Amino acid sequence: MYRYDEFDAAFVRARTGQFANQVERRLKGEISEEQFRPLRLMNGLYLQLHAYMLRIAVPYGTLRSQQMRKLAHVARTHDRGYGHFTTRQNIQFNWPRLKDVPVILSELASVEMHAIQTSGNCIRNVTTDQFAGAAHDEIIDPRPVGEIIRQWSSLHPEFSYLPRKFKIALNGAPHDRAAIRFHDIGLQATTNGDGDIGWEVWVGGGLGRTPMVAKLINSFVPHEHLLAYLESIVRVYNRYGRRDNKFKARIKILVHEEGLETIKGQVEAEFAEMRGGQLTLPQEELDRISAYFAPPAFSALPDTPVDIAREDILDPVYARWLRHNLNRHVQPGYTSLTISLKPVGGSPGDATAEQMEAVADLAERYSFDELRVTHEQNLVLPHVAIRDLRAVYDGLVAVKLAEGNAGLITDIICCPGMDFCSLATARSIPIAQAISQKFAAPERQKDIGDLKIKISGCINACGHHHVGHIGVLGVEKKGEELYQITLGGDATENASVGKILGPGFDADGVPGAIETLVETYLARRENAQENFIAAYRRLGEAPFKEALYGNG
Amino acid sequence: MAMASTLHSDRQPDKLRSLGIVALNGMFDEMDAVGVMRQAVAEILPGDVAIVSSFGADSVVLLHIAAQVDPSLPIYFLETGKHFPETLAYVEQLKKQLGLINVTAIHPAPHDLARFDPDGDLWETDPDSCCHIRKTEPLEPITEQFGGWVTGRKRFQTKERGVLPHFELTSDDRIKINPLAYFNDADVAAYKAEHDLPEHPLYSHGYKSIGCAPCTSVVAEGEDPRAGRWRGLNKKECGIHYDFSGAIASPMNAADKYSLFKDGTFVADPFRVWDETMVAGEARYAHVPLPVFLENREAFLANPHPLGLLVSPGDRVEDAEADLGRFVSIAIKFPAFTDGRGYSTARLLTERYQYANELRAVGDILQDQIPLMRRCGINAFVITHKPTREALIENRLPEVNIFYQPVGTSEVPVGTRPYLRRAS
Ligand code: SF4
Ligand code: SF4
């Protein structure tokens, strides 16, 4: 994991001091809320429905146990005992007081954390695959380059007042677990004809009210030129992105309106000027940063498979957890495991201080001190020896975090919605709770298999509903909450945006409608191996539409 | 009413109140001014609301609305002792005509006057202190008595007020009610005409915004109505913010007259804003807008006088690349501090085209932007915002002065990592 050197530590200290000054000026009334707004946003501080909300960066989703313990401490001391993990691999606290925020930030700085650029119209926290550096199918661990991008984008003077927020995601394996095609810039590791590793650059993806799949702007940018290429794109966006309409200000609209070829021409012209200049990345620097992310000292273990069949008989609940929550590791005898923050009937992504501490202890003991936050609002212990699984499981059971539902229908992504968010037009958490209750029976979940449901409380789509196999979007119509259901979204390398099939449902009708869709799938699938999204692609929307609305 | 009890609940007043405010603004977003005032006075804060009025040129609308809702609503008039006699007469006229039965004049403390302004000319040398003893101090004991204040502020009046809502929560947990938030000039005029309201007697003499006599002057046709207040002094905004304005700022000194900050101090600015009457071949010391320059390029290049170039967002500096050396100053316009296009412009000018003369930022600039602008090559700033000026003079900008990315032409590498920099 990356460790701060003196420079990094001094930087975060200075930034914390700067923000403390800004808060002080606000409290004294020297600056208006309107003037304070972009400043606090650049430091992750939102004004929500009930109070301020502070969003803390977890760069590329990686945490040490010490950092997790600090988050638990903040939750307990400055919040109401819990935190909320987001779809951006960040954590949010919903109840800090403005005057406490500088204190929280300096506490965080003591464990090498910060809230820099977790909001505002700047380059946001970089995100990546939660199994980075552990997955069996990886071309390259994307985190060293993620760290280099994090540093380059931190308080970048040219790009602090972009037309709109700007999100970069990286993915190091062929299978896209970072939804890179739905980011302003998505970087996909790839190998060129000479066998060198570099990056495909995708641009102009995004969700929100105009969901778009990113377009490939360059099929191979070597590491050494990556920052120059990124700076070229962001400069073109800063200069030409629309500023007249907040809803048309993302780069996806620029790419869409101007056309990929025009933007590509401008980016390439910029890049021609910058290429080989001061942003060239020396191999020694890449090596130096990569060393921080070197694999931990794994033991040489036999490649024993996990015997789920045996556990099915002995302890079916444990078996269920093993079946769904493990991800294949590159190192024999090890696995990555997902800690679901989606208990049936709970608030997706929430964790209490006690749970954070318990997870930190398990990470320290069983996962080389490492933890991950996923964009699906779960946690991951990336490097667990298979022989330790039972012990880890028991530890999770003790704090009610042993839900064996990763990737299943109850592993729902859901934004805060009307319960916390001032932009919401509808509730979302209660909908997620009702759905997970409807499908609570483990056997049924297993039978349904992989199915991603994603819920947003308004068109801003923080719950990524467009890329849910089933998406739910809460809207307000004539004073009533109404839920539109979309089908066929996919955030992976087979990226697609879900389609609306017909009129929406009221809150009570949503679980039933989803059940109808699921029943249709179960009845029409070729076999149990054909999952929901595959069946939908084969069958098309017709049978689902008919089941929901009849054929009239 | 549910909202009233929410606001008055003792438990966690701040959160509930701010929640309430958001809800109130949502509920009353569409409501007209009388409706907002009635809700405030009758439902939300019964018996706990008052108005401070200057009885100036645009006070009558708010007062008329108040009279319709409750003629006994407490109204305070700041009798600074410096008003025009016409204003005092106008107070009496409005009381009678609108039927206001609860207007109270508040006076400065005699001992303060004796001590700080014995000759009554403090406004001349130190208007801020004058305002302090004649407005701020007398008002303080009154404000404490009420949980809510009705103001006559309107969104359009100054830029900062572009988002003014109907209800606001102040830092000391009071509620400010702005029934006229959505009114513009035309609405004010229409309202006055509809209700046949009397104008302030000086209005027809060219006084569009009226405060104390010494500090108010006539406004020219088409000028901002507030331009007449504290004319010639660098004083515009009011810390008090009721239906008049009056800022709490420190005394004027020489540097305060200048707004160009360069080489560590405020200096006289030889440049003027370009205007249509200037001629390409003869103009001097003006920042020529880039499109104007391109249109009359030959004439400007033949012009022997010092000239500047004005680059606005959307202009492409590339188009003037060959001629940049002709300018002694280039001004980059930041129409709103959230518009970051100028940062790219500045880097292109200084890094790519090696422009090295004065590069100034003009427009909406706060102290938080200045360090970023400097990194991008900007070396002069036109600043009127008071706290920003002070921060500049005292050299205490909220700054992170070590950097993660190589930018600009003068930053110095730090250590052995390739991209780290610090200010030179
Ligand atoms: S999708 Fe809408 S309701 Fe949900 S968190 Fe985002 S802005 Fe708020
Ligand atoms: S407006 Fe002028 S005269 Fe009136 S109190 Fe202020 S400085 Fe004094």
Side-chain angles (χ1 to χ4, degrees), chain A residues 222-281:
Chain A
H223 298 308
E224 62 171 332
H225 297 313
L226 185 62
L227 288 188
Y229 200 81
L230 294 178
E231 188 145 306
S232 302
I233 295 177
V234 186
R235 174 172 289 173
V236 166
Y237 169 59
N238 187 41
R239 298 186 74 196
Y240 303 119
R242 287 182 63 172
R243 289 175 188 264
D244 57 329
N245 180 341
K246 175 175 170 201
F247 301 119
K248 302 207 162 148
R250 295 288 288 271
I251 195 173
K252 64 187 173 189
I253 303 290
L254 182 69
V255 173
H256 179 73
E257 289 182 348
E258 301 290 318
L260 179 65
E261 287 314 309
T262 308
I263 299 303
K264 188 171 170 155
Q266 290 168 337
V267 169
E268 293 293 337
E270 227 7 270
F271 181 54
E273 297 276 353
M274 285 192 210
R275 189 190 157 97
Q278 51 188 3
L279 282 174
T280 307
L281 175 65

Side-chain angles (χ1 to χ4, degrees), chain B residues 284-347:
Chain B
R284 56 174 72 198
Y285 286 111
H287 285 103
V288 185
L290 192 131
V292 175
F293 169 75
L294 293 176
E295 229 168 80
N296 310 284
R297 182 168 172 274
E298 298 304 321
F300 279 112
L301 291 180
N303 175 329
H305 305 299
L307 276 178
L309 182 70
L310 175 69
V311 186
S312 298
D315 290 348
R316 288 168 38 93
V317 281
E318 292 90 322
D319 298 342
E321 180 190 342
D323 305 320
L324 295 173
R326 195 255 165 269
F327 299 103
V328 291
S329 169
I330 294 181
I332 299 181
K333 187 155 187 189
F334 290 84
F337 66 88
T338 49
D339 188 334
R341 283 177 280 189
Y343 297 96
S344 290
T345 304
R347 287 194 71 193

Side-chain angles (χ1 to χ4, degrees), chain A residues 2 5 7-11 14-15 18 21-22 25 27 30-32 34-35 38-39 48-51 80 95 97 148 150-162 224 227 231 235 238-241 243 269-270 273-274 278-282 285 288 422, chain B residues 12 14-16 18-19 22 159-163 171 314-318 337-345 347-348 351-352 364 366-369 371-373 375-376 385 387 396-408 414 416-421:
Chain A
Y2 189 69
D5 67 8
F7 181 93
D8 302 307
F11 180 87
R15 177 68 182 114
Q18 179 188 38
N21 163 296
Q22 290 162 345
R25 276 153 56 208
L27 290 171
E30 280 183 25
I31 47 176
S32 67
E34 201 196 346
Q35 292 164 336
L39 306 177
Q48 285 214 322
L49 214 46
H50 311 287
R80 298 185 173 177
W95 306 97
R97 295 176 60 92
I148 287 165
R150 179 189 80 81
Q151 296 187 12
W152 159 75
S153 63
S154 289
L155 303 190
H156 195 300
E158 184 179 348
F159 304 139
S160 290
Y161 295 91
L162 295 170
E224 62 171 332
L227 288 188
E231 188 145 306
R235 174 172 289 173
N238 187 41
R239 298 186 74 196
Y240 303 119
R243 289 175 188 264
E270 227 7 270
E273 297 276 353
M274 285 192 210
Q278 51 188 3
L279 282 174
T280 307
L281 175 65
E285 177 67 0
R288 191 184 70 83
S422 55
Chain B
Q12 297 167 330
D14 54 340
K15 272 168 200 152
L16 288 175
S18 48
L19 173 60
V22 172
K159 192 166 7 164
E160 282 175 22
R161 294 170 180 173
V163 292
S171 52
D315 290 348
R316 288 168 38 93
V317 281
E318 292 90 322
F337 66 88
T338 49
D339 188 334
R341 283 177 280 189
Y343 297 96
S344 290
T345 304
R347 287 194 71 193
L348 287 172
E351 293 174 39
R352 187 161 301 163
D364 190 10
L366 296 173
Q367 49 188 305
D368 311 278
Q369 279 91 49
L372 304 176
M373 290 176 172
R375 289 196 65 199
C376 291
H385 183 247
R396 49 166 179 82
L397 295 171
E399 190 163 13
V400 177
N401 54 15
I402 49 178
F403 318 125
Y404 270 119
Q405 54 294 102
V407 166
V414 180
T416 54
R417 290 166 58 178
Y419 302 135
L420 304 188
R421 296 290 185 274

Side-chain angles (χ1 to χ4, degrees), chain A residues 140 145 197-199 220-227 281 283 286:
Chain A
I140 185 180
V145 171
I197 295 175
W199 301 92
F220 190 86
V221 177
H223 298 308
E224 62 171 332
H225 297 313
L226 185 62
L227 288 188
L281 175 65
Q283 185 62 41
L286 181 58

Side-chain angles (χ1 to χ4, degrees), chain A residues 409-445:
Chain A
I409 188 168
T410 56
D411 184 3
I412 298 172
I413 291 191
C414 173
C415 82
M418 194 75 103
D419 294 286
F420 291 99
C421 174
S422 55
L423 303 173
T425 43
R427 294 167 301 155
S428 52
I429 294 173
I431 300 295
Q433 290 168 335
I435 296 171
S436 71
Q437 257 143 7
K438 180 129 215 146
F439 294 95
E443 273 316 304
R444 194 165 180 212
Q445 291 185 44

Side-chain angles (χ1 to χ4, degrees), chain B residues 254-271 358 360 379-383 389 393:
Chain B
D256 277 6
K257 281 191 254 158
Y258 304 132
S259 53
L260 177 64
F261 187 82
K262 211 180 154 181
D263 302 326
T265 176
F266 279 96
V267 295
D269 183 359
F271 275 87
E358 178 189 283
R360 59 165 72 177
N379 54 27
F381 305 88
V382 177
I383 309 280
R389 293 174 62 92
I393 291 168

Side-chain angles (χ1 to χ4, degrees), chain A residues 415-417 421 423-424 456-458 460-462:
Chain A
C415 82
C421 174
L423 303 173
S456 304
C458 83
N460 288 322
C462 304

